[in-house]
């Protein structure tokens, strides 16, 4: 297998997970480079990888300063690092710039979230159709692989949906994607990832796919309590989310919804901030003549999500509840993963939300390096074979389970033998 050096864009909690997981598999992925606007964040990640002795084999890991909105600067860094794969886990505002740099340099592209325009919130569905999908012909013409939404949700839940379609159902009637964080970070209020992106998800219209058409609701309008493995019964709310926009196009399913768990305190604080106009992305002018963006001020005063990791306890449960028919009989299965915040911190120094988002992106990179997902075009995760992906995740810390009429049990997958074997081998001892 030919190694493909990796350039990671983003120095936050997810970037830290990606760096550690790339280091654990650098016999496949080669040299590792981390870049963001804040060099110190990247240097701290490099120090963490070295301190934990994460590198499986001897190799380079280095930090770089980069404004990834600058396409020419990104192209220059790709050339300097001889990167073959770019993993974009920076702000969702960067996607189009980073993708442009990858197309122009002929290297593979992976991201974990849909592109956003900083001046627009909750655009007309399907969101992928507004930016990413418009560039599919460019990717095909350049012969580059672009895997969209290769985090957990979107990402792994897309693979769960494809697995359900391929192996568990003849006809699917509905997919309910459920994301519950049963953890506790000990702060009065904080977001688990970039506050600016987090709040933007919930200030616009909630779009879901129902009766084969886009249906709109207001945030926190529709509540449903789910009884989930490990985390128990939790309240969730119908929420607009990335994966609905590709699954509604790529899978023939009438109803696809996304449900996210929220506690009462989050809803209360969010509602107050929103009602006061403090979650607006539009600039305002203060009495002193300063122009500020309220949402960016809120982001500045909240804890950095990566700072939550050391004291985070509890678990997450994320999965797909799929209903339909198999052999003429009604069937319901829940395909899911449970991740532990403390275990994630012990392994890579990040909390569980970052862990679930970062590990799949590295698995995707490994499948591109092996050739299995090197499709030379732009695809969403559900358009790719799920078993190699889920098989790698089993070995990389995100095992899959299923709950159905036969009970609750772990699923096992046959991943590519060479890649799977390498991912399961121990790291290089210091």
């Amino acid at each position: 297998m030919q190694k493909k050096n990796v350039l990671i864009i983003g120095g936050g909690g997810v970037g830290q997970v990606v760096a550690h997981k790339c280091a654990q598999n650098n016999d496949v992925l080669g040299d590792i480079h981390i870049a963001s606007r804040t060099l110190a964040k990247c240097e701290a990640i490099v120090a963490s990888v070295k301190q934990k002795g994460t590198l499986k084999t001897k190799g380079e890991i280095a930090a770089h300063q980069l404004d990834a909105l600058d396409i020419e600067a990104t192209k220059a860094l790709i050339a300097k690092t001889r990167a073959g794969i770019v993993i974009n886990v920076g702000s969702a505002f960067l996607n189009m710039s980073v993708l442009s740099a990858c197309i122009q340099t002929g290297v593979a592209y992976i991201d974990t979230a849909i592109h956003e325009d900083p001046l627009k919130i909750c655009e007309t569905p399907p969101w992928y159709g507004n930016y990413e999908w418009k560039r599919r012909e460019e990717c095909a013409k350049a012969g580059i692989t672009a895997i969209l939404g290769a985090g957990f949700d979107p990402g792994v839940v897309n693979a769960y949906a494809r697995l359900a379609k391929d192996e568990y159902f003849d006809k699917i009637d509905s997919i309910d994607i459920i994301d519950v964080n049963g953890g506790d970070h000990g702060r009065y209020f904080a977001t688990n990832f970039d506050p600016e992106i987090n709040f933007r998800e919930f200030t616009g219209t909630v779009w879901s796919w129902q009766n084969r058409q886009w249906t709109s609701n207001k945030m926190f309008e529709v509540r449903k309590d789910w009884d989930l493995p490990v985390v128990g019964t939790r309240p969730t709310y119908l929420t607009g989310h990335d994966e609905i926009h590709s699954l509604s196009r790529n899978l023939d399913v009438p109803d696809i919804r996304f449900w996210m768990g929220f506690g009462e305190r989050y809803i209360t604080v969010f509602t107050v901030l929103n009602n006061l106009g403090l979650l607006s992305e539009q600039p305002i002018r203060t009495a002193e003549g300063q122009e500020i963006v309220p949402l960016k001020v809120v982001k500045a005063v909240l804890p950095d999500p990566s700072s939550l990791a050391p004291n985070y306890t509890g678990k997450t449960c994320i999965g797909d509840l799929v209903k339909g028919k198999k052999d003429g009989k009604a069937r319901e299965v829940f395909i899911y993963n449970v991740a532990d915040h403390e275990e994630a911190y012990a392994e890579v120094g990040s909390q569980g939300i970052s862990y679930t988002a970062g590990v799949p992106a590295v698995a995707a990179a490994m499948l591109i390096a092996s050739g299995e997902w090197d499709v030379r075009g732009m695809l969403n995760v559900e358009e790719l074979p799920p078993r190699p992906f889920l098989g790698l995740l089993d070995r990389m810390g995100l095992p899959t389970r299923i709950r159905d009429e036969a009970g609750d049990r772990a699923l096992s997958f046959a991943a590519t033998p060479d890649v799977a074997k390498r991912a399961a081998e121990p790291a290089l001892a210091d």
Side-chain angles (χ1 to χ4, degrees):
M1 180 187 303
Q2 181 180 0
K3 294 184 182 180
K4 295 194 175 184
N5 296 345
V6 173
L7 172 60
I8 303 162
I9 293 179
V14 180
Q16 172 142 332
V17 175
V18 172
H20 274 272
K21 286 296 183 178
C22 284
Q24 290 175 12
N25 296 283
N26 71 331
D27 57 336
V28 174
L29 295 173
D31 295 337
I32 302 158
H33 298 271
I34 309 150
S36 80
R37 287 181 301 174
T38 307
L39 181 62
K41 287 186 175 182
C42 300
E43 291 174 335
I45 292 173
V46 170
S48 172
V49 169
K50 290 181 176 179
Q51 186 271 325
K52 286 183 175 288
T54 308
L55 289 166
K56 181 183 282 190
T57 64
K58 292 185 184 297
E60 182 179 0
I61 179 166
H64 307 268
Q65 189 168 33
L66 174 69
D67 176 2
L69 288 172
D70 185 335
I71 296 171
E72 292 304 316
T74 306
K75 287 167 58 180
L77 186 57
I78 290 171
K80 176 183 176 182
T81 58
R82 300 186 302 280
I85 301 172
V86 172
I87 302 178
N88 174 22
V89 288
S91 166
F93 306 143
L94 302 177
N95 287 18
M96 289 300 96
S97 298
V98 177
L99 178 58
S100 292
C102 290
I103 291 171
Q104 293 175 34
T105 54
V107 303
Y109 170 86
I110 299 168
D111 66 31
T112 61
I114 221 160
H115 179 76
E116 291 192 40
D117 183 326
L119 299 180
K120 299 177 183 178
I121 285 184
C122 202
E123 298 183 56
T124 304
W127 295 341
Y128 278 112
N130 295 331
Y131 299 100
E132 282 90 346
W133 287 345
K134 290 181 178 179
R135 309 194 67 181
R136 280 181 296 189
E137 287 187 15
E138 284 183 74
C139 291
K141 185 175 180 180
I144 74 142
T145 295
I147 308 298
L148 305 180
F152 205 100
D153 45 343
V156 178
V157 296
N158 300 58
Y160 289 167
R162 172 66 184 272
L163 182 75
K165 178 178 174 62
D166 288 352
E167 302 187 17
Y168 292 93
F169 292 88
D170 298 322
K171 177 177 177 291
I172 295 178
D173 296 322
S174 66
I175 300 173
D176 286 292
I177 300 162
I178 308 164
D179 181 333
V180 167
N181 174 20
D184 180 10
H185 48 58
R187 304 290 186 93
Y188 178 80
F189 185 83
T191 60
N192 291 300
F193 56 96
D194 185 340
E196 186 173 1
I197 301 298
N198 180 267
F199 287 131
R200 286 166 61 96
E201 282 191 56
F202 312 133
T203 53
T205 302
V206 170
W207 291 105
S208 59
W209 183 252
Q210 301 194 58
N211 298 317
R212 301 187 189 279
Q213 62 185 358
W214 290 107
T215 304
S216 64
N217 290 96
K218 294 178 181 178
M219 191 62 207
F220 303 123
E221 179 183 356
V222 183
R223 170 176 167 163
K224 186 172 180 62
D225 294 0
W226 301 94
D227 182 14
L228 301 176
V230 181
V231 299
T233 301
R234 298 277 178 160
T236 69
Y237 293 84
L238 190 66
T239 306
H241 221 249
D242 302 20
E243 51 274 277
I244 302 173
H245 296 260
S246 66
L247 291 173
S248 63
R249 174 192 171 114
N250 293 323
L251 299 186
D252 182 22
V253 176
D255 296 318
I256 305 173
R257 297 167 289 253
F258 184 92
W259 304 85
M260 183 167 282
F262 294 93
E264 289 185 14
R265 181 179 294 172
Y266 184 100
I267 296 173
T268 299
V269 173
F270 172 89
T271 302
V272 170
L273 291 172
N274 198 36
N275 288 343
L276 290 174
L278 291 172
L279 299 185
S280 172
E281 83 288 0
Q282 299 299 324
I284 62 171
R285 192 168 297 277
T286 68
E288 295 76 21
Q290 286 186 303
E291 188 177 84
I292 61 170
V293 175
L295 180 54
K296 291 186 180 294
V297 174
V298 172
K299 174 180 177 176
V301 299
L302 288 177
D304 183 329
S306 63
S307 72
L308 305 176
N311 299 311
Y312 225 129
T313 59
K315 302 178 190 297
T316 69
C317 181
I318 311 173
D320 293 10
L321 180 67
V322 187
K323 297 180 180 180
K325 290 185 177 179
K326 179 71 173 177
D327 299 325
K329 297 180 180 179
R331 188 176 202 190
E332 174 181 314
V333 303
F334 183 50
I335 306 173
Y336 71 97
N337 165 264
V338 170
D340 186 288
H341 289 289
E342 291 178 280
E343 290 178 2
Y345 180 68
E347 182 188 349
V348 300
S350 291
Q351 37 95 335
I353 305 297
S354 297
Y355 193 86
T356 56
V359 175
V362 180
M366 294 174 68
L367 289 171
I368 291 173
S370 74
E372 287 190 79
W373 276 18
D374 194 9
V375 292
R376 307 288 176 172
M378 176 184 285
L379 292 178
N380 292 86
V381 170
E382 69 272 16
E383 297 177 272
L384 294 155
R387 279 190 161 267
F389 184 49
L390 298 175
L392 271 181
L393 293 178
D394 271 357
R395 296 159 178 81
M396 293 174 68
L398 292 177
T400 300
R401 297 187 63 85
I402 187 170
R403 185 173 70 181
D404 61 8
E405 66 276 2
D408 192 317
R409 62 198 182 278
L411 286 182
S412 60
F413 303 93
T416 303
D418 185 39
V419 175
K421 177 176 180 291
R422 288 168 181 259
E425 289 172 353
L428 177 71
D430 257 348

